[in-house]
Amino acid sequence: NAGVTQTPKFRVLKTGQSMTLLCAQDMNHEYMYWYRQDPGMGLRLIHYSVGEGTTAKGEVPDGYNVSRLKKQNFLLGLESAAPSQTSVYFCASSYQGTGGEAFFGQGTRLTVV
Amino acid sequence: GENVEQHPSTLSVQEGDSAVIKCTYSDSASNYFPWYKQELGKGPQLIIDIRSNVGEKKDQRIAVTLNKTAKHFSLHITETQPEDSAVYFCAATDYSSASKIIFGSGTRLSIRP
């Protein structure tokens, strides 16, 4: 049982390049989330999904897009990367949404130069 | 929307002493308050949670208290051990609606031998 798996674990991008971060969970969870973690700012919610085919904006959605075509996968896209998007990105999933435990992946460290 | 403030940002205690981390939230609709522990290089993991119909919950050396009137909740760790050194996050959310989990900015706890 892998839990929540994020791909890739590390990535360096040049300003203006695009990329997609993949999150996969094998726990049959309905809810999935993308967070970014920056020093002194905790975990900030980028986008989230309450089920297959649905997405919603979080606290800091600008510059990111997401898709949830399959229940087990939640993709985070950066269309034109900026240095301000240098961060550690975490994906999480939960069964009961807000009332249940959220399980986190190991994180993706992204550097935009 | 919900806003969660967490204090202190760093905390150093002597091994065996107690540690207390405090959080306040803004949305009176929030009714679920989890605490997560993040070890170096890993994703956060749930250590304890509390729902709004409970004032206190304890699990071995860890306890959480909730004051809904004042909109604050606290994490208490007693008899601290070296393995308690980590970053701790509080969070708040509304169990029944938007499914967003909003986190505090984190507390880096260090245990001095």
Side-chain angles (χ1 to χ4, degrees):
Chain A
N1 190 342
V4 179
T5 303
Q6 292 182 231
T7 308
K9 290 184 171 48
F10 302 93
R11 185 72 185 268
V12 178
L13 281 181
K14 292 183 179 179
T15 297
Q17 286 185 319
S18 64
M19 78 163 294
T20 300
L21 281 67
L22 171 63
C23 177
Q25 53 95 2
D26 61 2
M27 297 172 282
N28 201 34
H29 286 168
E30 288 291 337
Y31 299 84
M32 297 187 75
Y33 317 85
W34 275 108
Y35 288 89
R36 60 177 289 173
Q37 183 174 25
D38 303 292
M41 302 191 75
L43 294 158
R44 291 184 292 170
L45 182 64
I46 305 171
H47 287 280
Y48 64 102
S49 168
V50 300
E52 182 178 316
T54 72
T55 63
K57 294 180 180 180
E59 301 171 278
V60 289
D62 293 343
Y64 306 94
N65 56 76
V66 289
S67 64
R68 182 101 182 266
L69 299 180
K70 294 183 179 180
K71 185 177 183 179
Q72 64 268 33
N73 295 337
F74 195 28
L75 278 62
L76 177 71
L78 287 73
E79 290 187 347
S80 180
S84 61
Q85 294 178 304
T86 293
S87 187
V88 180
Y89 292 85
F90 285 99
C91 174
S93 70
S94 69
Y95 177 66
Q96 290 179 289
T98 58
E101 177 178 358
F103 293 83
F104 282 80
Q106 293 279 63
T108 295
R109 183 173 293 276
L110 175 66
T111 302
V112 182
V113 298
Chain B
E2 178 63 275
N3 182 52
V4 178
E5 294 192 358
Q6 183 172 347
H7 300 279
S9 57
T10 60
L11 180 60
S12 178
V13 302
Q14 195 77 31
E15 183 177 349
D17 288 350
S18 296
V20 180
I21 302 170
K22 298 182 179 182
C23 290
T24 60
Y25 63 98
S26 62
D27 191 348
S28 57
S30 291
N31 51 23
Y32 175 64
F33 308 92
W35 285 88
Y36 285 80
K37 176 183 181 182
Q38 185 180 29
E39 296 178 339
L40 195 62
K42 297 184 178 181
Q45 279 194 302
L46 182 75
I47 55 171
I48 194 167
D49 56 13
I50 191 168
R51 298 176 193 266
S52 60
N53 58 347
V54 176
E56 183 174 358
K57 183 177 178 180
K58 193 173 182 180
D59 182 4
Q60 298 183 340
R61 297 186 297 109
I62 295 173
V64 57
T65 59
L66 171 66
N67 183 328
K68 276 192 69 73
T69 303
K71 293 184 189 165
H72 66 70
F73 56 113
S74 301
L75 177 71
H76 304 252
I77 305 174
T78 59
E79 300 173 10
T80 53
Q81 300 170 4
E83 54 264 36
D84 294 331
S85 292
V87 178
Y88 292 82
F89 293 98
C90 63
T93 189
D94 174 7
Y95 185 103
S96 59
S97 68
S99 300
K100 292 190 286 186
I101 307 173
I102 303 300
F103 286 82
S105 54
T107 297
R108 182 173 299 278
L109 175 63
S110 301
I111 308 301
R112 304 191 304 271

